[in-house]
Amino acid sequence: MMKQVKIVGFLVMLFLIPLVAFSQGRKEALQKSKKQIEEEIQLTNQLLKETQKNKQSSLNQVMLLKNQIGKRESLITTINSQVSNIDDEIIQNANSLEEMTTQLDKLKQEYSKMAYYAWVHRKTFQPLLFVLSADDFNQAYRRMNYIQQYTKYRKRQVRLIQEKQLQISGKVQELKGNKNDKLSLMDSEQKERDKLNKEQEVKNKTLGELKKRETELRKTLREKEQANKKLQSSIQGVINEEIRKASVNKKTKKTSKTIAKNKTKRNVAKNKVEPKDNKVSDAPTEIALTKEEAELSSNFSGNKGRLPMPVEKGMISSSFGTHPHPVLAGVIVNNNGIDLVTQAGSKARCVFNGVVSGVISLPNGAKAVIVRHGDYLTVYSNLNTVFVRTGQNLNTKQDIGVINTDDEDSKTELHFELWHNKLIQNPAVWITR
């Protein structure tokens, strides 16, 4: 019977171990996700407080509220997942507790039978007489060994019963903890839902106020579009210049090699007339790379999805590509990069080792810096102060400049772009958050 109990217990443990490990791993992942979302919500709250310095409603406020609402919904979803995970743990612990209780009952029954047998035969069975009545020494030895093993077995049964009782007690406490955690999470979820409803009310009110200022918003949008055209033109100019310089350097090296190779043949070809090649080569569309630049470009490409944020703390306020204007109906906004909103006084930082290809002045008085990483380029726009100069080598996370703060909108926002030669990329898939 005891052997069967052990086998059943072993099989149950084999079944429960992977479930417990999976549940624990999921629990840790959910806790990590919840913590990250809470940190992002905290940052958004700080940014929203900065917008409150300006009594007038702003697009930045709407964007932050939308972001906050999205994060709040994600937090509620994560909390629901945590509750679901705890429900799974409760079921697992309850099943484990039931199995432990069954094993304990069987252990007690086994021990009870042994105790009853010993009590019934207490008068007829005397250990000493049992040993002395043996026919020979070997039999006496075997009987003495049997008594010792039997005594050890009874003690082991007592110890197993005590251990199982402790395990059951611990499992009961674990179940209580699961239920308390569930109640706490459900309470937290309700509070988050209350905050979500208030944020949605504030967002709707702010949108209503902004729609009354449509003329002003359209004027601001036009100004932003003009600044963006200037930026894109400058970026294209820098890219074309990089391609031209790299092409010239390549031709120069090739010409030098040709001259050196043909130097010994000059006397022979002195009076020989060579036909002229009037063929015009197509203009290059890619940056010609040196060996070192090719390695840098390869390293940059290999870090796709792992590049650091161009700001220490911030969130994407406008995504890559075309999307509807948050307030103006029928207006489509095109973004060649991403915009990252952050706290006033924050600095832009280089996302990878590279060299400064250009520093651009924009119509609104802000500046932009272009950094080359082989045949990749990154653009950091809307800077108030710039720390770097053209031709300077930069390291990953090195500060580039202070991001400009729009006092009217109470917004500190960096515009970030990423190019591969003349092809624009979505920066969001390159950086890690």
Side-chain angles (χ1 to χ4, degrees):
M1 181 67 73
M2 186 59 206
K3 188 176 181 181
Q4 291 177 343
V5 173
K6 288 183 177 180
I7 293 174
V8 171
F10 178 71
L11 292 175
V12 170
M13 288 302 295
L14 282 179
F15 177 74
L16 287 177
I17 285 173
L19 289 177
V20 172
F22 174 78
S23 178
Q24 184 63 29
R26 186 165 179 259
K27 180 178 181 180
E28 291 175 358
L30 287 170
Q31 287 175 340
K32 184 178 179 181
S33 176
K34 182 171 179 277
K35 183 180 179 181
Q36 182 179 350
I37 295 172
E38 287 174 339
E39 289 175 353
E40 291 172 350
I41 288 176
Q42 185 179 5
L43 175 60
T44 309
N45 279 332
Q46 293 172 354
L47 296 175
L48 279 168
K49 286 181 181 179
E50 290 186 10
T51 65
Q52 292 172 1
K53 297 175 183 177
N54 188 347
K55 294 181 180 180
Q56 187 171 263
S57 299
S58 65
L59 282 174
N60 186 40
Q61 189 177 6
V62 171
M63 181 280 300
L64 289 171
L65 284 167
K66 282 186 175 181
N67 188 286
Q68 187 81 320
I69 288 169
K71 294 299 179 185
R72 192 80 66 189
E73 289 172 342
S74 296
L75 180 59
I76 291 171
T77 301
T78 303
I79 291 173
N80 283 331
S81 297
Q82 286 183 305
V83 171
S84 176
N85 193 60
I86 287 177
D87 284 336
D88 292 341
E89 287 184 357
I90 289 173
I91 292 173
Q92 291 170 17
N93 286 333
N95 291 337
S96 180
L97 180 60
E98 182 180 356
E99 180 59 31
M100 286 180 181
T101 304
T102 301
Q103 292 176 15
L104 179 62
D105 289 341
K106 290 180 178 179
L107 287 170
K108 286 182 177 179
Q109 289 174 10
E110 284 291 310
Y111 187 79
S112 178
K113 288 180 181 179
M114 286 190 297
Y116 177 76
Y117 180 85
W119 184 81
V120 170
H121 298 86
R122 67 187 185 281
K123 294 181 180 179
T124 59
F125 180 75
Q126 296 294 330
L128 182 60
L129 292 176
F130 179 64
V131 173
L132 294 176
S133 63
D135 294 336
D136 53 39
F137 176 79
N138 288 334
Q139 188 182 55
Y141 176 77
R142 288 195 299 272
R143 288 184 177 186
M144 184 172 64
N145 188 50
Y146 167 77
I147 293 171
Q148 290 175 344
Q149 293 297 324
Y150 183 76
T151 304
K152 287 181 180 180
Y153 179 73
R154 289 184 62 182
K155 289 180 179 179
R156 186 168 65 250
Q157 286 293 96
V158 172
R159 187 175 67 253
L160 286 173
I161 290 172
Q162 292 173 339
E163 289 176 355
K164 193 61 66 176
Q165 287 173 331
L166 286 173
Q167 290 177 5
I168 290 174
S169 177
K171 193 60 67 175
V172 169
Q173 292 301 318
E174 194 173 341
L175 267 172
K176 288 181 180 178
N178 290 150
K179 292 175 181 178
N180 290 335
D181 289 343
K182 180 178 178 179
L183 291 173
S184 177
L185 283 170
M186 292 177 69
D187 181 59
S188 176
E189 179 192 357
Q190 186 56 51
K191 289 179 180 178
E192 295 300 330
R193 289 192 180 279
D194 293 340
K195 292 177 183 177
L196 178 63
N197 292 333
K198 290 180 181 178
E199 287 164 353
Q200 287 174 331
E201 290 176 3
V202 175
K203 185 201 74 173
N204 293 334
K205 180 181 177 181
T206 306
L207 279 172
E209 293 174 352
L210 283 173
K211 286 178 180 178
K212 297 176 184 178
R213 296 164 46 205
E214 185 172 336
T215 303
E216 179 186 343
L217 292 176
R218 288 185 182 275
K219 179 183 176 183
T220 303
L221 181 61
R222 284 194 297 271
E223 292 174 353
K224 189 173 181 179
E225 287 175 345
Q226 288 298 319
N228 186 54
K229 285 180 180 179
K230 163 74 174 176
L231 175 63
Q232 298 308 313
S233 176
S234 299
I235 292 171
Q236 289 291 348
V238 169
I239 293 173
N240 291 336
E241 178 62 15
E242 290 291 347
I243 291 174
R244 186 195 67 79
K245 286 191 298 184
S247 178
V248 169
N249 291 338
K250 188 175 182 180
K251 287 179 180 179
T252 301
K253 290 181 179 179
K254 187 176 181 180
T255 302
S256 298
K257 289 181 179 179
T258 303
I259 292 172
K261 186 177 181 180
N262 296 330
K263 191 174 181 180
T264 58
K265 301 179 181 179
R266 284 180 180 175
N267 292 330
V268 177
K270 187 174 182 181
N271 297 320
K272 187 177 180 180
V273 179
E274 296 288 342
K276 292 184 178 180
D277 186 2
N278 294 322
K279 184 180 179 181
V280 179
S281 61
D282 295 333
T285 59
E286 297 182 354
I287 301 174
L289 303 177
T290 64
K291 183 179 179 180
E292 292 77 12
E293 289 172 338
E295 184 178 353
L296 176 63
S297 180
S298 176
N299 291 336
F300 185 92
S301 176
N303 278 278
K304 185 175 182 178
R306 298 194 298 270
L307 296 177
M309 288 268 285
V311 293
E312 186 175 356
K313 288 183 179 180
M315 63 187 68
I316 296 177
S317 53
S318 180
S319 57
F320 176 80
T322 57
H323 44 84
H325 191 277
V327 177
L328 302 175
V331 176
I332 300 298
V333 178
N334 182 40
N335 195 344
N336 281 346
I338 57 174
D339 296 323
L340 297 116
V341 65
T342 184
Q343 294 173 291
S346 295
K347 299 169 185 174
R349 59 184 187 176
C350 190
V351 297
F352 203 75
N353 297 340
V355 59
V356 179
S357 288
V359 179
I360 304 165
S361 295
L362 302 174
N364 61 358
K367 295 179 177 63
V369 173
I370 301 177
V371 181
R372 180 182 164 195
H373 321 269
D375 55 1
Y376 287 90
L377 294 103
T378 51
V379 182
Y380 311 79
S381 181
N382 195 35
L383 303 177
N384 182 34
T385 305
V386 173
F387 303 147
V388 299
R389 64 185 182 281
T390 302
Q392 180 179 345
N393 290 316
L394 301 181
N395 297 320
T396 303
K397 293 187 179 181
Q398 183 172 338
D399 289 338
I400 292 175
V402 179
I403 304 169
N404 183 56
T405 298
D406 185 344
D407 294 329
E408 292 184 4
D409 212 15
S410 299
K411 177 173 64 175
T412 304
E413 189 175 61
L414 175 73
H415 179 70
F416 178 66
E417 296 185 14
L418 196 156
W419 294 71
H420 185 209
N421 289 306
K422 290 187 175 183
L423 298 176
I424 190 73
Q425 307 285 310
N426 180 3
V429 301
W430 285 80
I431 60 176
T432 181
R433 282 169 281 169

